Amino acid sequence: EILREYAERHGINVRVDIELPWARTLDLLLQGKIDVTAGAYFNDERQRVFQYSDVFYADDIMVFQHVDRRFEYAGIEDLNGYQGARPHGGSLGNKIDAYSEQQLDIIYSPTNDRIFDLLRAGHVDYVLIARYDGLATLRKLGIEDKIIAVEPPLDHNPVRMMFSRNSPCVEHVEQINLLIAELAQNGTIKKRTQYHLEQTVFNRETGS
């Protein structure tokens, strides 16, 4: 929505592909074959090779568990001794990335559908994924009654756009940041975010 708004104001054509796997997206972004991806968390390694926009949203990283195989959880250290899964190629932020790499038994799955198949079948004990990304996938698969996001969130991550440094579009980042500030101040980002959450996650009739 932000990129479309910017493109419309500046006479730029935009083509959006929401079906690319995340690892493939990052590879294409690095090569400059795509210009920008939305919904990226900050980490130090990415900062060296990509150009971030300012923050336009914040997301919760959640521990998803099967309702029949719940275990007590309060913080990331409580995941020791269990086997988990998380999306391949995606960052969950510096803190979680470092701890999970060094301390946790983690499987990396290429797609969100597959990652929840592993949990549903009992091959892993939990899934680490962003709250709304996970909830939208559960709704798509029709298994909201089988797998739940367990509170509290593991972490809260600011969300940014990430631009290829090999793309001419990187020259627009400063102006896009000004648009982000404008749309945040006038309430447009909040309104559009709520609209899309209602389309993909929430039940419009019950509000749940």
Side-chain angles (χ1 to χ4, degrees):
E1 292 281 359
I2 295 169
L3 289 173
R4 286 189 174 117
E5 177 80 20
Y6 182 84
E8 183 177 342
R9 293 187 184 189
H10 294 82
I12 300 171
N13 293 322
V14 174
R15 183 170 61 88
V16 179
D17 186 340
I18 62 172
E19 299 297 332
L20 280 175
W22 185 247
R24 176 65 173 156
T25 297
L26 293 184
D27 183 53
L28 293 174
L29 194 68
L30 184 63
Q31 297 177 54
K33 293 182 177 179
I34 59 176
D35 303 295
V36 56
T37 186
Y41 303 144
F42 181 91
N43 71 27
D44 295 331
E45 181 180 354
R46 288 179 180 175
Q47 171 69 0
R48 287 192 288 270
V49 294
F50 300 118
Q51 175 68 47
Y52 280 103
S53 75
D54 287 346
V55 174
F56 63 88
Y57 186 63
D59 205 1
D60 295 333
I61 304 301
M62 304 300 296
V63 177
F64 284 81
Q65 298 180 19
H66 196 284
V67 294
D68 295 331
R69 297 187 295 274
R70 290 283 307 276
F71 60 89
E72 292 187 4
Y73 154 80
I76 193 169
E77 61 279 354
D78 296 322
L79 302 179
N80 286 296
Y82 296 96
Q83 185 169 49
R86 55 178 287 182
H88 174 67
S91 171
L92 300 179
N94 283 327
K95 176 182 174 182
I96 296 176
D97 288 349
Y99 190 90
S100 62
E101 181 178 348
Q102 298 169 11
Q103 303 291 334
L104 300 181
D105 184 5
I106 290 283
I107 294 173
Y108 292 83
S109 175
T111 67
N112 290 356
D113 291 11
R114 176 57 180 158
I115 207 171
F116 283 114
D117 285 343
L118 293 172
L119 181 56
R120 183 167 45 171
H123 298 309
V124 298
D125 302 303
Y126 66 90
V127 164
L128 296 182
I129 197 169
R131 181 193 296 272
Y132 296 121
D133 203 7
L135 292 178
T137 302
L138 295 180
R139 180 172 179 176
K140 171 187 171 185
L141 296 174
I143 54 173
E144 304 103 311
D145 60 332
K146 300 295 184 183
I147 296 172
I148 59 173
V150 180
E151 303 291 347
L154 195 62
D155 206 353
H156 306 277
N157 281 336
V159 180
R160 307 165 185 261
M161 292 178 227
M162 195 162 62
F163 290 78
S164 172
R165 294 188 186 274
N166 293 317
S167 164
C169 292
V170 75
E171 299 177 359
H172 294 275
V173 174
E174 185 175 347
Q175 291 298 314
I176 289 172
N177 287 338
L178 293 176
L179 178 61
I180 289 172
E182 174 191 331
L183 298 179
Q185 184 174 14
N186 66 26
T188 299
I189 288 180
K190 181 178 180 180
K191 181 173 68 176
R192 292 185 182 178
T193 298
Q194 186 63 29
Y195 170 80
H196 286 291
L197 289 177
E198 289 175 354
Q199 300 304 307
T200 59
V201 177
F202 298 122
N203 185 308
R204 296 180 72 103
E205 295 180 359
T206 66
S208 61

